[in-house]
Amino acid sequence: MSNSSSLNEFLLLTFADTWELQLLHFLFFLSIYLAALLGNGLIITAIACDRHLHTPMYFFLLNLSLLDLGSISTTVPTSMANSLWDTRAISYSGCAAQVFFFFFLFSAEYSLLTVMAYDRYVAICRPLLYGTLMHSRACVRMAAAAWASGFLCALLHTANTFSIPLCHGNTVDQFFCEIPQILKLSCSDSYLREAGLLVVSLCLAFGCFVFIVLSYVQILTVVLRIPSEQGRHKAFSMCLPHLAVVSLFISSGLFVYLKPPSISSPALDLVLAVLYAVVPPTLNPLIYSLKNKELKDALKKMIRWVQGQHQ
């Protein structure tokens, strides 16, 4: 292929060569996808319907669940369909859309996790100012800024990536379209512009990471000064779910993009992509609901109401 304008489709990496293993992959991804839909859907419904959960923390959690639903819906259904119909093809426009939405939702989620760290910092370190700083209008603005930043980054990177001439075929060594794999198909030196943009994005991401770390350093300092053990436990329980989600999100992404090239292989890249693109959206609802009494009570109330409607 001499130029990206002559491409009509891309060929994605398959999980298996035999029909039996492809069917197993389809069923495996289907179970994960249904678990993600159920978990995030329950959290969204519970927060939307229960007035006790109409607080900044749960408002941001609702947005997180929406982003998780979107990100896993961008990659997994296409891969399942390809396995079921025994094909590797994805259209050029479909690949561009997949790159845009995945980058958009992934970036917005990282921005939102940074906002959630600020919310926890204010709640624990500045409790008297919490109502003033985290009023409803401010929360909506912060959530909107997270979504908008993800949208603008995705628009910029997608437009730039698909304007680069592609000279090395149309085979993407991944189960979904992502920017690093498409850059491998570009002509020599033509990827430098997008690589530069990725470096700028990584610098911004590092700034968010530093903000999250500093927020939790101050939170930990304040929590350790709380005299009562019950107070410390309550403060830790407020922060641990968010900290666990941030750790899972950042560690999986860093390992994928910063691993040494010497250990890179299609099989390893495939497994790691599942780790950072599929696992977090599925586990996040479980992490947040595991030790959150308010959320569990709201879910139980909702389930009892549904059961009552069917009796």
Side-chain angles (χ1 to χ4, degrees):
M1 300 289 177
S2 61
N3 196 295
S4 57
S5 61
S6 63
L7 285 176
N8 294 319
E9 64 180 20
F10 290 93
L11 298 178
L12 300 175
L13 193 65
T14 56
F15 278 84
D17 295 327
T18 64
W19 164 246
E20 291 78 9
L21 290 176
Q22 286 177 348
L23 183 61
L24 185 64
H25 158 245
F26 169 79
L27 294 174
F28 174 68
F29 261 29
L30 178 63
S31 62
I32 289 179
Y33 187 54
L34 291 177
L37 288 179
L38 178 63
N40 287 290
L42 284 174
I43 286 182
I44 292 169
T45 307
I47 294 174
C49 296
D50 195 322
R51 287 188 174 184
H52 295 97
L53 302 183
H54 291 181
T55 63
M57 182 177 77
Y58 292 109
F59 170 73
F60 293 132
L61 179 55
L62 183 146
N63 279 267
L64 181 68
S65 291
L66 288 172
L67 289 168
D68 282 336
L69 275 180
S71 64
I72 198 169
S73 297
T74 300
T75 57
V76 169
T78 302
S79 183
M80 288 193 302
N82 284 355
S83 290
L84 194 61
W85 303 116
D86 191 22
T87 180
R88 300 172 55 193
I90 182 172
S91 67
Y92 185 88
S93 58
C95 186
Q98 200 171 58
V99 166
F100 171 78
F101 282 109
F102 184 76
F103 203 100
F104 163 40
L105 297 163
F106 195 83
S107 302
E109 182 163 340
Y110 188 49
S111 299
L112 186 68
L113 289 172
T114 307
V115 170
M116 293 172 79
Y118 175 71
D119 172 65
R120 295 300 84 205
Y121 163 77
V122 176
I124 293 173
C125 301
R126 299 287 187 271
L128 297 179
L129 296 176
Y130 189 76
T132 304
L133 295 176
M134 302 302 296
H135 55 84
S136 58
R137 188 173 297 178
C139 291
V140 170
R141 286 174 180 169
M142 284 187 275
W147 285 81
S149 64
F151 179 85
L152 291 174
C153 285
L155 190 63
L156 181 63
H157 282 283
T158 304
N160 197 53
T161 299
F162 285 90
S163 67
I164 294 173
L166 305 179
C167 306
H168 300 292
N170 65 338
T171 301
V172 178
D173 291 331
Q174 195 49 270
F175 75 95
F176 66 98
C177 290
E178 62 173 355
I179 291 175
Q181 297 299 332
I182 294 174
L183 290 181
K184 290 181 181 180
L185 306 178
S186 64
C187 303
S188 58
D189 298 330
S190 63
Y191 66 90
L192 291 177
R193 184 177 57 186
E194 175 58 24
L197 281 175
L198 286 174
V199 169
V200 173
S201 296
L202 285 174
C203 291
L204 293 174
F206 181 72
C208 291
F209 174 74
V210 170
F211 180 86
I212 292 172
V213 170
L214 291 177
S215 296
Y216 273 103
V217 167
Q218 295 187 66
I219 287 171
L220 185 62
T221 303
V222 171
V223 170
L224 292 177
R225 291 176 184 169
I226 298 175
S228 69
E229 185 177 345
Q230 184 179 1
R232 289 195 298 271
H233 180 268
K234 183 179 179 181
F236 275 125
S237 65
M238 290 171 62
C239 297
L240 282 178
H242 175 258
L243 195 56
V245 168
V246 169
S247 301
L248 178 64
F249 185 89
I250 293 178
S251 60
S252 59
L254 284 178
F255 195 72
V256 168
Y257 288 107
L258 298 182
K259 70 180 185 301
S262 57
I263 66 170
S264 182
S265 69
L268 180 61
D269 291 346
L270 195 63
V271 172
L272 292 178
V274 172
L275 186 65
Y276 88 94
V278 178
V279 173
T282 308
L283 289 184
N284 286 352
L286 184 62
I287 293 171
Y288 264 101
S289 60
L290 201 59
K291 289 191 175 182
N292 190 312
K293 187 177 182 302
E294 289 181 328
L295 191 55
K296 285 194 289 188
D297 289 344
L299 288 171
K300 289 176 183 176
K301 189 190 302 182
M302 187 175 66
I303 291 171
R304 284 197 299 266
W305 181 83
V306 171
Q307 289 174 342
Q309 293 295 110
H310 289 283
Q311 288 177 356

